Amino acid sequence: MVPLSWYIILSSVLFIIGTAGVLLRRNILIVLMSVELILNSVNINFVAFSYYHQDLRGQIFSIFIIAVAAAEVAVALGILIALVRNKSALNVDEIRTMKG
Amino acid sequence: MVFFFIFAVIAVVSAVGVVTLRNPVHSVLSLMVCFLQMAALFVLLRSPFLAAVQVFVYVGAVMVLFLFVIMMLDIRRASMKRFVSGGHSWVIALLVILIAEMVLILSRSRFAEMAVSTTSRLDGSVKEMGTVLFSKYLLPFEIISMILLVALLGAIVLGKKELR
């Protein structure tokens, strides 16, 4: 039987990898993929707690997270296409339209 | 136990690949592998419906969307340029602080001795999930469908040739 802490450790390792991707990479596509990785590491935690508590709420929340992530990806890729078409900038450093 | 180790190791290796690989196409494929391992972990956790949703939505839809956009854009010029922005030592410091925080919290938690609760009420079927989703969580379900609709319209509007 796998203890619950192993799932939490796996989830935090994936979370840290995703955070490193968001902070270190400059390619905006890889930043988006790292955000997906972070959301999925949280999903693992939710489902593991749902199983270990025998409670369905964790799985329901995971479904909501997956739906919100899908919506986020659709909008983000639309913005990305518009941005590349107008400015041809794919690096985070070059995008400074909304910079204060 | 063995299966958990296999899935976890492959998931972590492919997640590292997402961050470190230079070509975004390779990153997307590596992320697909990672999501498939997560679906397998969901099966291990007795939630097959969520595993199916993960495979359909993430591997089937989101990752194909990523691949489509990467193929559409001209990545050769941008992706091969600067890999990691140098001179940002505060980012490394932030990551070290985050890792130390997580290690501290996990070492002090009591989750290690936690086992499956003895009163097993879930059988992992789609039926009980649908019952809860459409009775107790009906309002969040409708809100999430509206969010998806708005995102669909937003993506169409953003992707059009010219905005009027």
Side-chain angles (χ1 to χ4, degrees), chain B residues 1-161:
Chain B
M1 184 84 86
V2 180
F3 282 111
F4 174 81
F5 269 115
I6 295 170
F7 296 147
V9 167
I10 297 177
V12 169
V13 167
S14 56
V16 170
V18 171
V19 177
T20 55
L21 282 177
R22 197 169 275 263
N23 196 338
V25 178
H26 297 165
S27 281
V28 168
L29 295 178
S30 175
L31 196 58
M32 266 190 191
V33 173
C34 188
F35 285 167
L36 283 175
Q37 303 310 312
M38 286 185 194
L41 282 175
F42 290 167
V43 173
L44 278 189
L45 287 167
R46 310 284 195 287
S47 46
F49 175 65
L50 213 56
V53 167
Q54 173 96 359
V55 171
F56 287 156
V57 174
Y58 266 119
V59 184
V62 171
M63 290 296 110
V64 170
L65 199 61
F66 263 113
L67 264 185
F68 184 71
V69 169
I70 288 175
M71 302 282 178
M72 216 167 96
L73 303 176
D74 180 26
I75 57 163
R76 187 154 305 148
R77 159 185 48 87
S79 67
M80 301 304 170
K81 261 195 310 194
R82 295 163 66 187
F83 179 57
V84 169
S85 58
H88 285 252
S89 57
W90 60 272
V91 171
I92 308 293
L94 210 63
L95 279 176
V96 169
I97 288 173
L98 183 66
I99 292 170
E101 193 178 0
M102 290 220 169
V103 168
L104 191 68
I105 289 174
L106 285 179
S107 62
R108 293 199 175 185
S109 67
R110 294 177 293 105
F111 291 131
E113 64 258 29
M114 193 169 171
V116 186
S117 66
T118 51
T119 59
S120 179
R121 286 164 304 174
L122 301 182
D123 56 350
S125 69
V126 183
K127 183 185 167 192
E128 59 181 8
M129 196 138 191
T131 311
V132 176
L133 197 59
F134 285 109
S135 61
K136 197 174 170 188
Y137 295 95
L138 186 60
L139 181 64
F141 184 78
E142 297 294 336
I143 291 173
I144 216 78
S145 60
M146 284 309 292
I147 287 176
L148 277 175
L149 180 64
V150 170
L152 177 71
L153 291 178
I156 292 173
V157 169
L158 284 168
K160 278 200 324 188
K161 275 291 181 194

